[in-house]
Structures are given as structure tokens and as C-alpha cells.
Amino acid sequence: MALTRLNNQALPAGSVLQVVVADGPNSDVSFTGSTFTDINLSASITPISTSSKILVKCNFVAASNNASAGSYALGLKILRGTTGIYETFRTPWAGSVTAVGQMAHLEYLDSPATTSATTYKVQAKNGSASGNVTAHMGNSNAQIILMEIAG
């Protein structure tokens, strides 16, 4: 159970109220296309207060390729439920290779304004409609961490 009071005093803003950790599947998740797709990395948290912030942190390894068509861009997105709350694209220098692997680390501080159970998940996509994405490549470890921060 999360702690919200200490010696009958409210914890100050910025205090960590609870932490939820979920590991990824440790097996490849592969797909083709430029549509954001779930990579089986998610966790749920039930905030104690509507004024709390949720710090979402996730780490995984992903590769993007386009069979020499020139796009290695990897799109990444964090969702709260079905709503995208953070999105980024990574385009590494690739030279003349046909696939680029990279460590993905995302952090986002969300203000969900709820005390209902809330699920956060990660999606990925290739920058090209014909490009491939492999998340958790090589059966590497993956993790998502949710930290409730007092508002």
C-alpha cells in the first residue's frame, strides 16, 4: 500500500508515493509498416490523488530497417489508455546498412488527474510503410516503470 502521510503530516510535493514496474516479453515483437503498433510493454497504476503526476520511464532495444530503401526512422509513442501522450522519432546515422538497432529510453511526466486505474503502454512504427520494426530484439530485456509523484 502506498504511503500518503507520515506522522500525520502530508508528504511534500515531489515525494514518490508508489512505484510500479513491469518487464517486457523478452522475445522479439516484429511487424511491418508505418502504423504505431503495440510492442507488449505496458503497466497499470492507480494514483492516490488527482493532483499526482505519473513519471513514465521505459527501456527496450529496437531495430528498424527498410531493405536499403533509405528509411531507418523509428517512431516511438507512450499512451495513457488509448490516448497518445508522448511521441518521438529517432533517425540514427546508418551509412549503407540495411538495419539499425538502438537502445530506446523514454521518459514522460504525465498529469492524468484521476484516481482510477490507468494503463500506460509503448508503441513503435517504422518511418516507411514498407519498413520493418523489431522490438526487444535478440530477446533482450525490456522494462516500463511508473512512479506516482505527489503534486
Side-chain angles (χ1 to χ4, degrees):
M1 173 159 220
L3 179 66
T4 57
R5 300 184 79 70
L6 183 62
N7 294 330
N8 208 25
Q9 298 295 314
L11 293 175
S15 297
V16 176
L17 302 178
Q18 62 175 314
V19 177
V20 174
V21 179
D23 292 326
N26 291 341
S27 60
D28 290 358
V29 175
S30 298
F31 53 92
T32 299
S34 58
T35 301
F36 279 109
T37 302
D38 289 349
I39 63 166
N40 299 333
L41 188 57
S42 66
S44 295
I45 192 168
T46 303
I48 295 165
S49 170
T50 58
S51 64
S52 291
K53 309 282 190 213
I54 305 296
L55 178 60
V56 182
K57 301 172 72 156
C58 55
N59 297 288
F60 58 95
V61 177
S64 57
N65 73 64
N66 206 18
S68 75
S71 175
Y72 304 99
L74 179 64
L76 303 170
K77 183 189 281 190
I78 298 173
L79 294 92
R80 178 191 340 106
T82 58
T83 303
I85 58 173
Y86 178 79
E87 188 175 318
T88 186
F89 275 87
R90 297 165 185 244
T91 306
W93 178 86
S96 61
V97 299
T98 59
V100 175
Q102 54 190 304
M103 179 66 182
H105 174 79
L106 304 173
E107 288 190 31
Y108 183 76
L109 186 62
D110 188 33
S111 301
T114 186
T115 55
S116 297
T118 304
T119 299
Y120 291 87
K121 67 180 177 178
V122 180
Q123 294 182 333
K125 73 176 184 176
N126 191 282
S128 168
S130 60
N132 298 317
V133 171
T134 301
H136 320 301
M137 60 185 285
N139 302 327
S140 59
N141 294 328
Q143 195 169 66
I144 184 168
I145 301 167
L146 306 177
M147 299 173 68
E148 182 178 2
I149 311 295

